[in-house]
Structure formats: structure tokens, C-alpha cells
Amino acid sequence: MHSLFYVLFHPLNTLNLWLEDDPNASIVDVLYLFTTFSAFGIWLVFDRYQKAVNSAMPFHHPAPEAADPSWDSRVIPNANLRSHLQMPDLLPLQFGGGGREYITCFDPANNLHLTSALADDARSIEAKIKRAKNAQVKWCETSFGERRRVMRSLMKWLVENQELCARIACRDSGKTMIDAALGEILSTCSKLEWLINHGERALRTETRYSNLMMSYKKSQVIYEPKGVVAAIVSWNYPLHNAWSPIVASIFAGNAIVLKASEHVIWSTEWFVGAIHKCLEVLGYDADIVQTVCCWPDQAEALTKSPLIKHITFIGSEEIGRKVAMAATEHLTPVTLELGGKDPAIILPDTDLQKWSSIWMRGIFQNSGQNCIGIERLIVHSKQYDELFDILTERVAKLRFGSVLAPTREGYINTVDCGSMISNDRFNVLEELVFQAQEDGARVDIGGKELLHTSCQGKSFFQATVVGDAKPNSRIAQVEVFAPIALLIRYDDIDDAITIANGTRYGLGASVFGPHQDLCIEVAKELHCGMVSVNDFGVYYLDQDLPFGGTKSSGYGRFGGSEGLRSLTNPKAIVTDRWPSFVQTTIPKVLDYPIRSLVRSWDFVHGLTMLLYADGYRARFNGLLQLTKARR
């Protein structure tokens, strides 16, 4: 211990740079100090270099005028995606015909015209795919460190511009700022953080276990980029649904062609534009990310392209089946995340007041337009009346509107729910509620279109509570994707599990109860891809988990190592562990031409016994047979 203190402190106590008047002074003192400061200086230089090459790079992406709450535009009566056909003056001034189609973009909460976007045709889609392919050749050579820097730069920009991004999502989809913060910002930051911290681990070369026969070999798996991949995503979260597949794909070394929903083209192109800016500032070719804006009848130019090596689809079951069929043209692998009818099983003696806020968020988040939203509350008969009263009282207080509609107090209206993306499905929703009532369900509140008094949009639907729904009724079997709470009674836990599993869907689920062990037992019985216990949808915020469903909710996973690896080509490579000493040779008894069928069979039979027989005696006999056959 004395020597340790001497080494650490002696040079500082006895230092004499001129080596004068001190019999204990030594040149070692000078060298010690010089070495210490040199090492510290080298570390500082290295640390600054690492920060310079790995830290987030700031960049600027101009905000669109429509993100300003005071922005005003032309109000489109009965706005829809083809409003430009009835109102040609909505088309851009440079419109010259030529057979190209357009898509009308508008704020669904206020019917304000945003732009009229030129729709891609098959030719332009093919050109974008080729540009992505050419850019990917160089991008796939980047290191994980370089890709992480892109992720850090994007996350820094997103955190610093989260209010702007939320406003843009609200403008294009009608949602609220809180819905945007939870569903767009937090979830995307979680995705980026996981890629930064764990993405390389998921794609790093792996050494796999071997067996006795292959003990002299080394088995590895490398994850190679596929090339150009595609993502066809839904409109309910325009920022997250665009960024999530993009950042995963480019982190895996791919280029990506994103086909955004025609409902949110305006915001999607701006969100993707931020990624382009980031790539350009860091010196990379932004062509690795392409955005396609087209009508569904042109989408096969993407799904049937031989250059596309993987497709991620997020949307309805109907369209998902068409995408999967089109992908068979070139056997393109597909990940499908389709609809859901997610149940929340409420076990007996659950504290209803305690969890009611989570159920409200699970049902009415994003006005019910949430793929993992709670579509069915399955509650014990003894607690049904209490839960119905709790929900009815709380739902009656929900306020609908637009957070971007100017008011005297400022742009942030105090609203709980925004508009839906359009009113195209309102007749279907009203019919579902009406049929449920005909079948004996109780509807004390909601069930119809909401005619808003201050917002000019026609896409608001009343918050609805449907009680005493029959498990086999149509409203309990189809995905409503709307602000509708559906209550179903059960008498015993086995019945609750049967009801929960009794639809064609199997995406997510929740189980609530006072005893976690029982909740876990019930969760294991559910036919779905993900379950939250005493919570809602939290499995998506943990991006280390795979996300996806079973049955008609799709197949494949995105999220976690499973999702990231699905965007790569896993290649197995087997090499010699000690190539200078041991390599594979063909025993003479097995070499062509076979000299003796009996001896060759005895050799292989003995080898199999030696390696895999049950018991040491049998294995020893296999060794003897092997040795005898080799003579």
C-alpha cells in the first residue's frame, strides 16, 4: 500500500524539474509528469475527435406556413381527396394536364386546403426505386457509428422541434397536440434511442453454438442489407409511421421507398424532408429515402417491383391481403401489421376507478384511430354497471375540436379529442351502433356524427359508449377504429378468455386485475402478439420488443431485434476453427468410388452411434464399429 501511494504522489511531492539541491530527485519525476500530461492530452484529443465524428449534427428544416395556428386558407365544402375535380382552381398554377392525377390535401378538422399534390404514376415510382437502388450501393458501406450519428442528429432535431412536428401532424390529421406528443414524438424518440443504443448489437456478426461433430468449425451469422425495401403505411400517425420504417431500414444499411397514405401526403413529405436534410448535412446521398405519393391503383408498381426486397405494410386487412398477393410476383417477403379488435379483460375485484383513466386513454387516444387501441372492455357481470356509469359520466365531458383553430385565448383550444381523418366511414359506424341497439345493447351517449359548432370540418364523430354488447354481434367482431367504448359482460374467467379470443383478430390485448400472477396466467391464454398487464399499449414504447400480431392481424414483426433483422439477409458462414491443424477430409471408406457398401454403411452407422446414441455404452460400441469399418 505504501508503494502505491508513493507511485501516485511521490512525483508531485518531490518534483524538481532542474534536479538540483535534492538528493532524492530523479529524472523519473520529470518523465512521470510528462507521461501523465501527455496521456491526458492524447485522451482529450481522442475524446474531442469522437465527439466531432459521433455527436449529433444540427440542421435546419424550414417550417411550412400551415403549421402556424393563425394560418388561413380556402375552406373546401365537403372536403375530400378528389375535391380538385369539382374545384379545378385548387390545382397548382403550373398544372398542364398531361393525364397526371392529383390528390387534394386538407385539414380534416377545419376543411382548410393545404395543397394539391401531384400523384406518382408507375413510371415515376419505378424511377424513384432506381434512384434508391443506386444510392444504396454506397450507403451500405457506412459503419454502424456513422449510422448512429444520423439517428442522434434526427433525435436531437425532433426533440428540439417537437412542438412544430406536433402542429404539423395535427394540421394534416386533425388530432390533438397531446395525441401527437404521445403517439408521434415519444414513440419515435423511443425508436431512435433503441437504434442508437442497441441497433448494432442486433445486427452484429454472431457466433453460433456447434456440436461435437462440428467442434473444429466456427459457425457465424452475418446480417447483410437487403438492398431497397418498401414501407406502405397508414395515416393515423403521419410522423411516426413514416420515420419508424425509414430509420430502421437505413440503420440496417438499406435504401427505402415509403408509400405514404394519400390522406397525409402533405405532412409526410415534410417529415421525410427533415430526414433528407439530415442526410445531406452529414454528407450522404438523400436518395436512399424516397417518398411515393400515389393512388392505390398505382401501388403495384411498388409491390410488384423486382428491385424491392422487403415490404412492410401497416393498414387494413383488405389492403394487406392485396399487398401480400402482389408481393408473390417476385416472392418478396412481407411484414403485415393489420387491423385489431384488442380486448381489455377486467378481472373480478379490479379497482375500476383506479384504472378508468388508462381505459379512457386506450379507447379515445387519437379519437380511437389507434391500431392497438382498446376496442372491447370485457368486464365481470358484478362490476359491469359500475364501469358503465363511470365511462358514461367521463365520456359525456369529452370536448372535441381543433387545437389549430384560432381563438381569442390563443391557438391551443382545450380539447380532449380531435377529428377523425375523414367522414367516409360515418355511415358504417352509425349502422354498427344502430345494429348493436337492435340486438339489445345500451347506448346512452353518442353513436352519431358530431356537427361541430366552431370547426368547419365534417370529420367529427361523437364519443360513444355501447354497453351490454353481445360477443358475437357485428360491432364486437369488426374493427371500428373510432371513439367508441364497447362493454361486454362475462361470468367467469374462462368465458372472458373465450370472448377475448373470439374474433378473427389477434394484435394486442390488456389484462387488468388486483393479482398480477393471475393476470399473467390469463395473458398467456390470449391469442395475440402482445399483452400489457395493468396497462395499455406500453409494449410499443419498449422498442426492444417485437411488434405484430397473429390471425387476421397479420404476420411478421417490426420493432426489436426481430424487426430489424427482418430487413436484412441473414447469411450463415462456417469456417475452420484451426485451419492449420484440422480441416475436413473424406475418409477413404466414404470416398468415391465407394469400395464397399457394407463397410461404408458400418462407418456411418458407427459415427451416428458415437455422436447421438443414448448412453455411454452404446456410444462406445459405435466407436468400436467406426474404428473397425475404417480399417
Side-chain angles (χ1 to χ4, degrees), residues 14-220:
T14 66
L15 184 63
N16 185 342
L17 291 177
W18 307 107
L19 306 179
E20 296 176 351
D21 304 326
D22 189 345
N24 295 321
S26 169
I27 190 65
V28 174
D29 296 339
V30 179
L31 293 176
Y32 186 98
L33 191 64
F34 176 77
T35 303
T36 301
F37 277 93
S38 296
F40 182 67
I42 292 171
W43 178 82
L44 282 178
V45 171
F46 179 77
D47 182 63
R48 293 191 67 177
Y49 172 78
Q50 289 296 318
K51 289 180 178 178
V53 299
N54 294 318
S55 60
M57 177 71 77
F59 63 92
H60 176 66
H61 187 38
E65 292 182 1
D68 189 331
S70 62
W71 174 81
D72 198 10
S73 181
R74 181 174 180 179
V75 176
I76 307 174
N78 302 315
N80 61 76
L81 298 176
R82 297 185 184 272
S83 288
H84 58 276
L85 298 180
Q86 290 79 40
M87 305 172 66
D89 52 336
L90 294 177
L91 292 169
L93 295 177
Q94 67 270 25
F95 172 67
R100 295 293 295 274
E101 293 190 276
Y102 280 78
I103 297 172
T104 303
C105 304
F106 60 94
D107 173 356
N110 299 292
N111 276 8
L112 296 176
H113 180 238
L114 293 167
T115 189
S116 293
L118 180 65
D120 287 307
D121 56 14
R123 184 176 178 180
S124 61
I125 293 172
E126 291 170 4
K128 290 182 176 182
I129 296 172
K130 289 179 180 178
R131 286 202 296 272
K133 183 177 185 296
N134 293 336
Q136 191 269 340
V137 174
K138 188 174 181 180
W139 172 254
C140 70
E141 297 175 354
T142 56
S143 67
F144 285 118
E146 290 170 320
R147 298 174 198 173
R148 269 195 298 272
R149 194 181 190 195
V150 174
M151 303 300 122
R152 288 193 184 100
S153 301
L154 289 173
M155 187 159 71
K156 173 181 171 64
W157 178 86
L158 180 58
V159 171
E160 293 175 350
N161 293 274
Q162 56 182 299
E163 182 176 350
L164 172 61
C165 291
R167 282 195 223 157
I168 291 171
C170 293
R171 179 67 78 189
D172 208 13
S173 65
K175 66 181 66 194
T176 68
M177 293 287 285
I178 300 303
D179 287 343
L182 295 174
E184 309 273 17
I185 311 299
L186 279 177
S187 56
T188 305
C189 287
S190 179
K191 180 82 170 186
L192 290 165
E193 180 188 46
W194 183 84
L195 288 170
I196 292 167
N197 294 335
H198 307 292
E200 182 179 356
R201 172 182 54 81
L203 300 181
R204 189 184 298 143
T205 298
E206 288 184 323
T207 299
R208 296 294 180 90
Y209 296 108
S210 188
N211 52 31
L212 178 61
M213 182 170 62
M214 296 290 290
S215 59
Y216 69 101
K217 294 287 188 180
K218 183 178 181 180
S219 301
Q220 292 183 308

Side-chain angles (χ1 to χ4, degrees), residues 278-318:
C278 178
L279 291 169
E280 290 168 358
V281 166
L282 290 170
Y284 302 115
D285 190 345
D287 277 349
I288 61 170
V289 179
Q290 298 288 330
T291 306
V292 166
C293 160
C294 71
W295 291 102
D297 60 353
Q298 297 294 320
E300 285 193 350
L302 183 64
T303 56
K304 288 188 175 183
S305 171
L307 300 181
I308 296 297
K309 303 305 180 183
H310 182 276
I311 300 172
T312 298
F313 176 81
I314 303 173
S316 68
E317 178 189 349
E318 177 187 0

Side-chain angles (χ1 to χ4, degrees), residues 151-418:
M151 303 300 122
R152 288 193 184 100
S153 301
L154 289 173
M155 187 159 71
K156 173 181 171 64
W157 178 86
L158 180 58
V159 171
E160 293 175 350
N161 293 274
Q162 56 182 299
E163 182 176 350
L164 172 61
C165 291
R167 282 195 223 157
I168 291 171
C170 293
R171 179 67 78 189
D172 208 13
S173 65
K175 66 181 66 194
T176 68
M177 293 287 285
I178 300 303
D179 287 343
L182 295 174
E184 309 273 17
I185 311 299
L186 279 177
S187 56
T188 305
C189 287
S190 179
K191 180 82 170 186
L192 290 165
E193 180 188 46
W194 183 84
L195 288 170
I196 292 167
N197 294 335
H198 307 292
E200 182 179 356
R201 172 182 54 81
L203 300 181
R204 189 184 298 143
T205 298
E206 288 184 323
T207 299
R208 296 294 180 90
Y209 296 108
S210 188
N211 52 31
L212 178 61
M213 182 170 62
M214 296 290 290
S215 59
Y216 69 101
K217 294 287 188 180
K218 183 178 181 180
S219 301
Q220 292 183 308
V221 178
I222 62 174
Y223 296 95
E224 298 178 328
K226 282 184 175 290
V228 182
V229 300
I232 304 172
V233 297
S234 58
W235 42 259
N236 52 337
Y237 291 103
L239 166 60
H240 181 72
N241 286 350
W243 273 36
S244 179
I246 288 174
V247 296
S249 298
I250 64 176
F251 190 88
N254 300 306
I256 180 171
V257 180
L258 178 82
K259 193 278 179 190
S261 168
E262 51 271 26
H263 286 281
V264 289
I265 283 295
W266 175 78
S267 60
T268 300
E269 289 191 335
W270 189 84
F271 290 136
V272 176
I275 297 179
H276 287 163
K277 286 284 186 181
C278 178
L279 291 169
E280 290 168 358
V281 166
L282 290 170
Y284 302 115
D285 190 345
D287 277 349
I288 61 170
V289 179
Q290 298 288 330
T291 306
V292 166
C293 160
C294 71
W295 291 102
D297 60 353
Q298 297 294 320
E300 285 193 350
L302 183 64
T303 56
K304 288 188 175 183
S305 171
L307 300 181
I308 296 297
K309 303 305 180 183
H310 182 276
I311 300 172
T312 298
F313 176 81
I314 303 173
S316 68
E317 178 189 349
E318 177 187 0
I319 304 302
R321 289 180 180 273
K322 293 179 180 179
V323 169
M325 291 177 65
T328 61
E329 180 88 5
H330 298 285
L331 297 180
T332 306
V334 180
T335 294
L336 296 178
E337 194 267 277
L338 309 178
K341 193 67 179 175
D342 290 12
I345 296 179
I346 304 170
L347 297 178
D349 302 320
T350 297
D351 186 339
L352 302 183
Q353 290 289 354
K354 176 181 179 180
W355 302 114
S356 62
S357 292
I358 288 184
W359 298 329
M360 288 289 292
R361 175 58 62 181
I363 297 167
F364 297 103
Q365 161 79 16
N366 210 32
S367 289
Q369 301 166 118
N370 197 1
C371 60
I372 52 172
I374 297 175
E375 293 248 343
R376 294 175 292 160
L377 286 169
I378 303 172
V379 58
H380 194 273
S381 296
K382 291 182 179 179
Q383 292 186 290
Y384 165 81
D385 290 332
E386 181 184 356
L387 180 59
F388 184 86
D389 291 341
I390 290 173
L391 289 181
T392 301
E393 180 181 355
R394 295 195 62 167
V395 168
K397 298 176 182 178
L398 291 179
R399 295 156 295 187
F400 284 74
S402 169
V403 295
L404 296 179
T407 65
R408 293 177 182 176
E409 296 79 13
Y411 79 90
I412 299 182
N413 285 290
T414 307
V415 297
D416 303 298
C417 299

Side-chain angles (χ1 to χ4, degrees), residues 215-217 575-583:
S215 59
Y216 69 101
K217 294 287 188 180
T575 58
D576 291 311
R577 193 180 297 275
W578 307 286
S580 300
F581 300 99
V582 183
Q583 289 184 310

Side-chain angles (χ1 to χ4, degrees), residues 336-341 504-507 548-555:
L336 296 178
E337 194 267 277
L338 309 178
K341 193 67 179 175
R504 60 189 291 111
Y505 300 106
L507 189 56
T550 62
K551 302 193 289 186
S552 291
S553 289
Y555 52 78

